[in-house]
Structure formats: structure tokens, C-alpha cells
Amino acid sequence: MNLSLKLELPSDPELLRVIRSAVKEFAAVTGFSEDDCRSITVAVDEALTNIIRHAYQNRHGEPIDLVCRRCDEGLEFILTDRGQPVDPAKLHGRPLADVRPGGLGMHIIQKIMDQVEYGQVPEGNRLRLMKYWKIRQEGKS
Amino acid sequence: MNLSLKLELPSDPELLRVIRSAVKEFAAVTGFSEDDCRSITVAVDEALTNIIRHAYQNRHGEPIDLVCRRCDEGLEFILTDRGQPVDPAKLHGRPLADVRPGGLGMHIIQKIMDQVEYGQVPEGNRLRLMKYWKIRQEGKS
Amino acid sequence: MKTSTRQVGDATIVDVVGQIDLHSSSDLRKVLQETLRGKTAARVVVNLGRVDYIDSSGVAALVEGLKTSMGLKIRFVLCGLGPAVKELLKLTQLLSVFQVCESEEQALRA
Amino acid sequence: MKTSTRQVGDATIVDVVGQIDLHSSSDLRKVLQETLRGKTAARVVVNLGRVDYIDSSGVAALVEGLKTSMGLKIRFVLCGLGPAVKELLKLTQLLSVFQVCESEEQALRA
Ligand SMILES: Nc1ncnc2c1ncn2[C@@H]1O[C@H](COP(=O)(O)OP(=O)(O)O)[C@@H](O)[C@H]1O
Ligand SMILES: Nc1ncnc2c1ncn2[C@@H]1O[C@H](COP(=O)(O)OP(=O)(O)O)[C@@H](O)[C@H]1O
């Protein structure tokens, strides 16, 4: 059955742990394992961190919307911001073999989530993250 | 410094633990002690439970807004619903000496919070809960 | 929240794990009523040692259990109360209404 | 997140407690850089036993610490990794880049 929760937060790193705890519990309520809940939380956190750092260039107090939704296929997260749009050429992060600080967020998000889509909507930039139920996930590989 | 977070949730008891974890972390971020965080969480949970049970008469999927706000005086929670308005005559709960199930929510909210105000706004019913910083709280007694 | 029951001598122990709130308290209520009314245990011990949250609807389920137990002359004992449970029972002035023991062993002897 | 440092023989131990994220990782970065550059410890052990969350900015602070330590020829060892830390280092293929020990005792000898 569908279930959704919307969070409206400012781009303030202080709030990240509040959002993480909500995301983790939401994933638990929808039936994901403890390991999955933990990694889903990391992916959403990294996405929020990127919005704060890149879309808003570390400006605090700017609006971010996060919708968490349980649907038939799995768990969906939609993040919307009004900051600078993503530059698709930069989105890939660094090669993992090149060990240096930074450039890891996109790798983490992409490894954990089954779908990662950036887009533009009238409200601003939209990032959609999707995690399938385990059954689907196994079927896909 | 002001900090606020808005949650838009359906009147579904399944989500209460998600909201509790967010409220608890929000109270922790704003600097309340572990004991205070725990009791503040109980008060907000009881307020949400009352909205689900009384304002929406246990109908799920109805809208509830919860705004958590750190302000100069302390921590403020504003809950808005579009259900049945409160009947002030019924709001007091039962005498505690009369031991029977139910009738405890209002007592709990009022003992934990420093201000509890019911009101009507164009969007529906509004409940405002306020918890002062400890310093203010001690000053008030 | 999850519940399970065990038999120890003439007592039935109800183990409760997790968070008791509006979503789960009706299950707790049902388990307590069934345990009290179903078998004729001389004593029902509710082990709350692994409960990290309880709200007023959970407290209501416990109060209802207590009332039923008194009607049936069954001992009804709570044990293992963590800070969350203890505080809410204090706040609602119900801590002294229940028979409360620290450990399950004490609850079986109390 | 909170950090503190202790001296054990020729090693400096950095204890980290709590969640490392965008809000706190700059503090971790600063502490690690100051510890490495300030005193001339032969070995810096980062005890992550009480860290229950780390994100990529926290990992970046650790990578930067490792780089600095190599330049200064100081041993840089992580210990006490819980599941959250271990998983993120695995996911980013950095678990083998660091010297990692189970316990602090092992990290002091490694
Ligand atoms: N939400 C976003 N808005 C704008 N640009 C982004 C966003 N997320 C990622 N990017 C771009 O993608 C690059 C790679 O991101 P990431 O892998 O997280 O590493 P890092 O953030 O450390 O650079 C960023 O440097 C940035 O240019
Ligand atoms: N949000 C609300 N909307 C409408 N009525 C309410 C609301 N909250 C409380 N009430 C009224 O106040 C009464 C006392 O509430 P409470 O002390 O929580 O006990 P209980 O909910 O168990 O009856 C309720 O029975 C109800 O009539």
C-alpha cells in the first residue's frame, strides 16, 4: 500500500542527522532489512549533502524538499532544490582507483540505489532515487 | 539561531515511529538533554495520536502537518489538521485517580510541554506546543 | 512491536519487544486479554525489558490487563521497565498502581 | 561528533564518537591534520569504535589524514570499525587502502 512522507528542510548540515533518522525509520517501516535501511540512509544523505554543497554552494537556509514514498516497486525518494542545476559532465565523480579526498558521493548513491535520475521541473532541480524490493532487485541482475 | 523542519504526513499510525525519530533528533540537535528529548517526543506523539483518533476518527490517509521550530525561547511544534475541531469541554482528559484505560494523552502533553494551545486557522485545526529552554523553565516556577 | 508468550511453572510470561504506540497497542491489548482469559495461569508476567517506547495507548492496554486480572484473581506483574516505560507510568501516576519488579525472577516470586 | 586525543607511548590515539557527516567532518579533518602535523608522533591511531555513522565527507577527512601521514612518514591506523564505517569503506573501495585493525591494542602494535 502506498505511504508517503514529505520533509521540507533548509540546506543546513545540522539537520542531516534528523533527516537520516527519519529516512532510516521510513525504510524500516516499509520492510527493508537493517543493512538495507542503513545503506538507503547513506544514499539519501549523500544526495542531500551534494545539494547543499553543489546546488547551493554551502549556503544555509535554502529550501530542499524530500518526499519518501513506498510504492509497488519499492521505495522512492524525490529531492527538489532551487539551486544551481547539475552539470551532467561533472556528475560522474572521480575514478575510485585515484585515491584522494572527495568525489565519492555519486559512486555511493549509484551503488546503493537501483535508479538515480536527475531532471528539471518547474520547482527547480529534481533528483529521483529508487530502491526496489529485494525480490525485484535479485530479478534484475 | 532559528532552524525549522516541516513534515507532511498522512494520518497513518504506521508512520508515528518515523515522526518520533525525527522529533527526537530535532530536539537533540537543538540541545535538549536525552531525558527532555524523550519526553518531548512522547508529547508530540500523543498529540499526533489524538489527531488521528479524534480529529480524523481513525481514518488513515488524511493530511497532518507538523512544523518543528527552534526559536529564541525554546522548541515549538505546530500541528495542523483538517479534521473535526476539538471540543474544549472534552479536552481535559480523566481524573488520574480514576484508574481506567484511556484519557491520559492530554495529561501527558500538558505535563511535558510548557505551552499547549488549540486554535482554528484557515487551513484547519492548529495545535501549538512549546517547550522552553531549561533556564527559562526554571525561571518560570 | 512483537510479543510472544512462555510458560514458567504456573506463570505465563508475555515478552514484549519494540515500540508500543497507536500502531501496535491493539496487538498488545489482544495478547494480554487472551493470555489472561484463555488459560488459567495463576500469574501473568509482562516482561517489558526490550520495550524502548510506550505511549498512552500502550499504558491503556496494560491498565486494561490489570483490570481483567483483578476480576479473574490472576496476579499481574510488570518487569524489566526501561527509562521510557518507567517515566510514562510515573507521569500518569500509574507506577504505584501496578505490581512492578526489576527482574523476571523477582516477578515470578513476587 | 566529538573527538579527543590521548598519548600512549609514541602513539597518539584520536577517539571519535558519534556521527561523521557534512556537519562534523570538517572538525574531524582539522583534528587529524593538527595531530599529524603538530606533534611528532610516530603513529596516529584513529579509534572509530564509537562512530555509528560516516558519510563521504568523513571518508574524505580520513583519506586526507592518510595522505598527510605518508608525507610525514607517520603510521596511520584505523581501529574499531563498526558496520556503518566498514560498509562505506568497502563501497568506496578504500578498506584496503587504509591500515585497519580490529582493536586498539592491535593498532598500537601493527
Ligand atoms: N545536487 C547537485 N547539484 C549540482 N552538482 C552536483 C550535485 N551532485 C553532484 N554534483 C556534481 O557532481 C560532482 C561529483 O559529486 P560527488 O561524487 O558527490 O563528489 P564531490 O561532491 O566530492 O565532488 C560534484 O563535484 C558536482 O560537480
Ligand atoms: N486533536 C484532537 N481533536 C479532537 N478532539 C481531541 C483532540 N485531542 C483530544 N481531544 C479530546 O480530548 C479528550 C481527551 O483526550 P486524551 O486525554 O488524549 O484521552 P483519550 O484520547 O484517551 O480520550 C478526547 O477524548 C477527545 O474528546
Side-chain angles (χ1 to χ4, degrees), chain A residues 46-56 81 84-87 90-94 100-109 118 125 127, chain D residues 56 60:
Chain A
E46 294 288 344
L48 288 168
T49 293
N50 274 347
I51 290 174
I52 297 173
R53 290 179 54 221
H54 302 300
Y56 288 129
D81 68 76
Q84 201 162 294
V86 297
D87 175 352
K90 288 189 187 161
L91 259 187
H92 42 69
R94 65 164 173 82
R100 56 174 178 76
L104 297 171
M106 289 304 306
H107 286 287
I108 294 170
I109 296 169
Y118 288 87
N125 309 308
L127 168 56
Chain D
S56 68

Side-chain angles (χ1 to χ4, degrees), chain C residues 9-26:
Chain C
D10 64 350
T12 302
I13 300 173
V14 181
D15 290 299
V16 193
V17 179
Q19 308 194 2
I20 312 176
D21 65 2
L22 186 61
H23 182 56
S24 55
S25 58
S26 57

Side-chain angles (χ1 to χ4, degrees), chain C residues 48-60:
Chain C
L48 298 165
R50 290 163 73 195
V51 170
D52 47 31
Y53 187 79
I54 189 166
D55 78 344
S56 68
S57 74
V59 170

Side-chain angles (χ1 to χ4, degrees), chain B residues 28-56:
Chain B
V29 163
T30 56
F32 279 97
S33 70
E34 206 185 313
D35 281 358
D36 278 339
C37 290
R38 191 163 43 220
S39 60
I40 289 167
T41 303
V42 173
V44 175
D45 184 46
E46 294 288 344
L48 288 168
T49 293
N50 274 346
I51 290 173
I52 297 173
R53 290 178 54 221
H54 302 301
Y56 288 129

Side-chain angles (χ1 to χ4, degrees), chain A residues 117-133:
Chain A
E117 289 169 11
Y118 288 87
Q120 302 290 315
V121 290
E123 296 80 35
N125 309 308
R126 202 190 84 143
L127 168 56
R128 182 174 163 276
L129 305 174
M130 181 80 200
K131 179 79 176 175
Y132 295 129
W133 306 122

Side-chain angles (χ1 to χ4, degrees), chain A:
Chain A
M1 204 197 57
N2 279 8
L3 187 72
S4 83
L5 170 67
K6 180 175 178 181
L7 299 115
E8 293 180 22
L9 58 141
S11 57
D12 191 324
E14 239 190 315
L15 276 179
L16 287 172
R17 56 180 275 203
V18 179
I19 311 306
R20 284 198 299 272
S21 76
V23 166
K24 197 171 186 178
E25 286 293 307
F26 193 87
V29 163
T30 57
F32 279 97
S33 71
E34 207 185 313
D35 281 357
D36 278 339
C37 290
R38 192 165 40 219
S39 60
I40 289 168
T41 303
V42 173
V44 176
D45 185 45
E46 294 288 344
L48 288 168
T49 293
N50 274 347
I51 290 174
I52 297 173
R53 290 179 54 221
H54 302 300
Y56 288 129
Q57 291 159 304
N58 290 311
R59 291 193 308 278
H60 297 184
E62 305 283 345
I64 304 175
D65 286 3
L66 168 63
V67 174
C68 314
R69 204 164 72 84
R70 170 175 72 189
C71 52
D72 292 341
E73 307 89 54
L75 206 48
E76 183 187 62
F77 298 92
I78 308 226
L79 295 90
T80 314
D81 68 76
R82 298 179 161 278
Q84 201 162 294
V86 297
D87 175 352
K90 288 189 187 161
L91 259 187
H92 42 69
R94 65 164 173 82
L96 283 181
D98 168 22
V99 176
R100 56 174 178 76
L104 297 171
M106 289 304 306
H107 286 287
I108 294 170
I109 296 169
Q110 252 140 2
K111 277 206 193 158
I112 292 169
M113 290 298 186
D114 296 308
Q115 281 185 37
V116 179
E117 289 169 11
Y118 288 87
Q120 302 290 315
V121 290
E123 296 80 35
N125 309 308
R126 202 190 84 143
L127 168 56
R128 182 174 163 276
L129 305 174
M130 181 80 200
K131 179 79 176 175
Y132 295 129
W133 306 122
K134 237 358 184 238
I135 310 145
R136 278 290 286 275
Q137 221 181 334
E138 277 157 12
K140 127 192 134 141
S141 64

Side-chain angles (χ1 to χ4, degrees), chain B residues 3-4 27 38 40 50 52 62 69 76 83 94 110 132:
Chain B
L3 187 72
S4 84
R38 191 163 43 220
I40 289 167
N50 274 346
I52 297 173
E62 305 283 346
R69 203 164 72 85
E76 184 187 62
R94 64 166 173 81
Q110 252 140 1
Y132 295 129

